[in-house]
Amino acid sequence: MAHNPHSINKPSFRSIYLMRFLTRSAVFAAAIIVFIFSRETFDVILGLNFFREFSVCHLLWIAWMFDMVMQLIPSTGYWPLGSQKYFGAKYVPITRRINIAHLRQILTLEQLSKYLTIDNIQTQLHRINRNHIANYVNKKRLKEFVRTSTRDAYYIAIIWIVMTVVCAALYHRGIIDYAWVMLIVIAFYLCDVICVYFWCPFRVFFMKNRCCTTCRIFNWDHLMMFAPFLFIPGVFTWSLCIMAIIIFLIWEITFFVHPERFWEDTNNALSCKNCTDELCGKRLMVTDVPTGPEAVSDPLHETL
């Protein structure tokens, strides 16, 4: 067996997310200190205070906004495939190899010469729309994937909406103030990377997906994170919420228009053997990577 060729001499996103975990832990620790000793620093999230004076909270706003902008740009180095799979450029259709030599073992030479020639096959294959192969072959199963994954995802949405409403009720009743809301959002910021690097309750109890790469709700993260900001009017809060909503809508619309990009049975890029991220922490071994003499290209093979 050979190592996944995509990960050789390339740092995995696991190491990147470890650094993000350490950085966000430091941010959360600093937020607790600010919450205890300088709560007025969080005033920036209220109304037009965003333009009053520059503060450390502006640095956090810039980091959050930058993260969201990067989710809208096809990238191979900043966000893992789990976040980027909705882009058409990241879609690799499940394909099959047509081996003419193998067909000769199945069909008689007379049948083969009557219906097929190598030139004819190559001409016809080039006319096939590759973007619809997987969707066509797995159409019925793909519909079931859309139905079940959306059902499970919206269970999570309902739970999160309830949590947000509870937080809003506590805020409007004066039980918690805006500083508490800011601290909660920063805690969610840390929890987001914990779900990727350590353990994700959404995957275990709801989605049942194999890993983050196949996660149905990967790009819901910022909307879930900033949900408590929805009930606090302000440039700081609502600008982040608006951008998070835009990302959420693009993700959901793409899912329903091009679900084949989100399913490992139709997008070969999401398979374990083609993993470029290794967020699960395993250095994957694959058995179907040709090595030795058999790796030499064969003109009788044509990949759709």
Side-chain angles (χ1 to χ4, degrees), residues 210-238:
R210 188 190 71 236
C211 64
C212 291
T213 300
T214 59
C215 180
R216 164 71 173 82
I217 62 172
F218 202 111
N219 280 13
W220 287 21
D221 55 346
H222 288 99
L223 182 58
M224 295 173 73
M225 185 192 313
F226 299 137
F229 279 162
L230 288 170
F231 51 86
I232 299 182
V235 174
F236 185 101
T237 54
W238 283 3

Side-chain angles (χ1 to χ4, degrees), residues 165-178:
V165 170
V166 170
C167 189
L170 293 175
Y171 175 77
H172 287 293
R173 288 180 176 272
I175 299 175
I176 62 174
D177 62 4
Y178 66 91

Side-chain angles (χ1 to χ4, degrees), residues 67-88:
D67 279 351
M68 289 190 284
V69 169
M70 290 301 294
Q71 280 188 328
L72 296 174
I73 302 174
S75 167
T76 56
Y78 191 80
W79 283 113
L81 183 60
S83 171
Q84 297 272 298
K85 59 178 175 279
Y86 71 103
F87 291 113

Side-chain angles (χ1 to χ4, degrees), residues 91-114:
Y91 174 53
V92 180
I94 299 291
T95 60
R96 298 177 179 177
R97 288 190 178 277
I98 296 179
N99 188 325
I100 303 302
H102 180 63
L103 284 178
R104 287 198 179 103
Q105 297 174 8
I106 300 174
L107 301 174
T108 66
L109 290 177
E110 182 179 356
Q111 291 173 318
L112 198 60
S113 62
K114 182 178 180 180

